[in-house]
């Protein structure tokens, strides 16, 4: 198979690197000039659990021409529509597109560019970091779940699952992936925006009595909206999962903290808490915590003059 | 009259200084050792619109013994109960107590220590700053409104109004002071907590589209709860007042920003947005914006390890 990684940041590099060790071909796509130059000149450097240096083709999305068998979407949420426009030339009638972005509502965007039968939705708990252009740091073990959006096209999902497992990415074909996507979004929705605003680690947030109260109100809004959309979600189960995650990740600053506080970049808030508020509005469900946290993060972006 | 200033921070120093220029006697009360020592040794230094140095008695609240004619309360909100306990010895049957604290709900605290007929509630737009121990910076002109809580004791309120006007403090006896107290609390409730959390000036907050949306939702909660308590409040009028204040004070960091961000001190959030949420709970009115902002500020206090 020819596999494109559309958005080759930290996670894209992990997936591209691991797939490059199989019989499949990988092409990385990205728009970051320094990253493209570093990988083109010196290869992709890997450190962390393994030390490696691999030759991998990388180019801008608009420069790719060879039709893809599989495209794995790993952009930031707000870059997704532009990416789908830019890679039009490599999307054939049978090209499968796997979405592994954080957050909610991406299927509505992807449907505008890709026929439903070729869309695979997924969620992953793999992690990765970038040390700098062309240098990924890979630590720990993860997994991912995916499902064909069109139930009649499970076969495509299974083929992609097999390909990912050749790359030791611990993929599972999941007959009901949507609740898992919501579960991860709920973890992000409770920790990312709050830690970014409070400039604190996950452990510091959860050590605060009032922090915990907020977390529980946010979870409740996610569950209420998700259930109203027909997604099977159990509040106690998700609360336990969020609490467990907070313990494991206590010393970490979530990715939105990295974006907003550390790097002064736009955040994905509209696709996490903002998405729940938007869905809530359509369903007639008020979600003031998700709405206010979205407004606070956007106000902070405005204060920092991030565009 | 013998006038005590119970809580001689920046505002207490302004009032004490101006009253000291009249025929009335003033004693400052405070617990800050360096401040007491500086004023005792060198007098109270005034800079800003005037340069002056005045001898003023200052002592700890527990050390005051002479019965007061008037006590002006100017503590931080959370220090009020302790102050009222500490000054028990100077409160006589005819001692009038004027409350000029920011925020809502202080009358419920004061009633536990002072008979209702001697309580005066007020609100002021005077400002002041402290340059350091024993040194107040006074700029600009302000005013204050006050009212006797007991309508049968208007006479006391008028006497205190006269005394304050001798000190050129632009006092008005206000037959309906409560809406004005709410109006100021609403200004604080929209700007203080949000600017403290976002680490920004009032102008930066109001320049953000999402910041403005939040401001309007917070105002709406204040109005809804106030009206349910029987306070005459007009949403359009208060919104206009908040907007005008935001323009005048655009370059300022509000006092809660100074407390939380600049000095890592506990905030008065429980007496502003927190008070509205608490009143809302009693009245069966949900105020999620006030509740969440209170939780965020407390979570930030916890992250900063402020106790």
């Amino acid at each position: 198979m020819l596999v494109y990684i559309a958005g080759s940041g930290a996670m894209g590099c992990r997936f591209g690197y691991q797939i490059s060790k199989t019989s499949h071909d990988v092409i990385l796509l990205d728009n970051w000039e320094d990253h493209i130059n570093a990988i083109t000149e010196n290869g992709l450097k890997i450190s962390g659990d393994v030390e490696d240096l691999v030759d991998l083709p990388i180019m801008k999305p608009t420069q790719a021409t060879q039709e893809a068998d599989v495209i794995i979407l790993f952009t930031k949420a707000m870059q997704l529509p532009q990416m789908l426009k830019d890679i039009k030339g490599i999307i054939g009638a049978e090209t499968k597109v796997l979405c592994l972005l954080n957050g909610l509502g991406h299927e509505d965007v992807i449907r505008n560019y890709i026929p439903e039968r070729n869309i695979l939705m997924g969620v992953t708990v793999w992690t990765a970091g970038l040390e700098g252009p062309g240098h990924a740091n890979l630590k720990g073990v993860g997994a991912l779940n995916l499902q064909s959006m069109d139930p009649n096209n499970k076969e495509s999902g299974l083929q992609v699952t097999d390909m990912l497992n050749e790359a030791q990415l611990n993929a599972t074909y999941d007959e009901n992936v949507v609740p898992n996507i919501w579960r991860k979004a709920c973890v992000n929705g409770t920790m990312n925006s709050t830690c970014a605003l409070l400039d604190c680690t996950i452990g510091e947030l959860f050590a605060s009595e009032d922090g915990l109260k907020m977390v529980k109100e946010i979870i409740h809004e996610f569950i209420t909206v998700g259930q109203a959309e027909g997604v099977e979600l159990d509040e106690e189960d998700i609360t336990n999962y969020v609490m467990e995650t907070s313990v494991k990740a206590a010393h970490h600053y979530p990715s939105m903290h990295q974006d907003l506080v550390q790097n002064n970049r736009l955040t994905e808030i509209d696709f996490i808490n903002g998405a729940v508020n938007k869905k809530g509005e359509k369903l007639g469900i008020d979600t003031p915590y998700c709405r206010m946290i979205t407004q606070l993060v956007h106000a902070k972006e405005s204060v920092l003059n991030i565009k």
Side-chain angles (χ1 to χ4, degrees), chain A:
Chain A
M1 286 182 177
L2 172 57
V3 182
Y4 283 93
I5 309 291
S8 302
M11 287 292 285
C13 283
R14 174 186 275 284
F15 275 60
Y17 169 67
Q18 292 193 218
I19 296 168
S20 78
K21 297 291 180 179
T22 68
S23 59
H24 304 287
D25 296 313
V26 180
I27 299 173
L28 305 179
L29 302 177
D30 210 85
N31 282 302
W32 183 18
E33 302 270 4
D34 292 349
H35 196 48
I36 294 173
N37 294 339
I39 295 173
T40 305
E41 284 164 31
N42 312 314
L44 173 63
K45 190 177 171 190
I46 302 294
S47 59
D49 292 341
V50 288
E51 301 280 326
D52 205 348
L53 186 68
V54 286
D55 268 330
L56 264 181
I58 181 165
M59 59 190 73
K60 293 201 173 184
T62 48
Q63 292 168 335
T65 53
Q66 214 183 328
E67 189 173 301
D69 295 307
V70 178
I71 300 169
I72 303 179
L73 298 172
F74 256 137
T75 63
K76 287 272 174 191
M78 45 282 191
Q79 298 159 348
L80 181 60
Q82 189 61 47
M83 177 60 83
L84 287 164
K85 280 174 207 156
D86 289 347
I87 59 175
K88 221 174 153 183
I90 59 171
I91 299 170
E94 295 306 320
T95 301
K96 310 299 171 247
V97 175
L98 169 60
C99 174
L100 289 176
L101 274 65
N102 269 332
L104 297 169
H106 303 306
E107 62 276 21
D108 299 334
V109 175
I110 301 171
R111 269 199 207 97
N112 295 328
Y113 302 89
I114 311 289
E116 177 137 345
R117 57 182 289 279
N118 286 336
I119 303 175
L120 311 173
M121 296 303 294
V123 57
T124 177
V125 292
W126 283 101
T127 61
L130 271 190
E131 300 284 309
H135 183 184
N137 189 289
L138 309 183
K139 276 187 196 154
V141 174
L144 77 126
N145 285 24
L146 68 92
Q147 183 182 24
S148 303
M149 275 197 71
D150 178 354
N152 296 323
N153 206 15
K154 181 173 170 180
E155 192 48 37
S156 303
L158 290 172
Q159 283 167 14
V160 172
T161 303
D162 286 344
M163 180 275 290
L164 293 168
N165 280 329
E166 281 182 57
Q168 312 201 333
L169 282 159
N170 299 339
T172 302
Y173 187 84
D174 184 341
E175 294 287 357
N176 197 11
V177 82
V178 177
N180 285 317
I181 292 174
W182 274 78
R183 194 165 74 150
K184 188 176 181 196
C186 194
V187 169
N188 290 329
T190 50
M191 300 175 187
N192 276 23
S193 37
T194 42
C195 289
L197 275 172
L198 296 172
D199 189 7
C200 70
T201 61
I202 293 164
E204 287 172 329
L205 173 71
F206 279 73
S208 147
E209 196 184 324
D210 283 277
L212 261 185
K213 284 183 194 164
M214 280 192 292
V215 162
K216 284 180 182 167
E217 297 229 30
I218 294 170
I219 291 174
H220 185 69
E221 291 183 355
F222 269 75
I223 302 291
T224 308
V225 170
Q227 286 177 343
E229 274 210 340
V231 184
E232 287 168 35
L233 297 170
D234 180 80
E235 188 154 351
E236 196 183 324
D237 171 57
I238 293 211
T239 304
N240 289 340
Y241 181 69
V242 168
M243 299 307 291
E244 282 164 24
T245 308
S246 79
V247 173
K248 283 185 207 155
H251 297 292
H252 289 257
Y253 290 99
S255 60
M256 196 177 290
H257 184 279
Q258 295 169 28
D259 286 337
L260 189 66
V261 181
Q262 298 174 34
N263 300 311
N264 288 6
R265 282 193 298 238
L266 281 177
T267 70
E268 296 184 314
I269 190 75
D270 285 337
F271 304 88
I272 304 174
N273 305 80
V276 170
N277 184 54
K278 212 166 162 185
K279 286 170 183 288
E281 275 175 8
K282 277 187 197 158
L283 294 159
I285 298 167
D286 194 25
T287 56
Y289 271 61
C290 282
R291 185 166 66 254
M292 189 185 200
I293 203 96
T294 303
Q295 289 166 345
L296 279 166
V297 170
H298 281 318
K300 185 72 185 180
E301 290 168 348
S302 159
V303 166
L304 294 172
N305 207 18
I306 306 173
K307 278 164 193 157

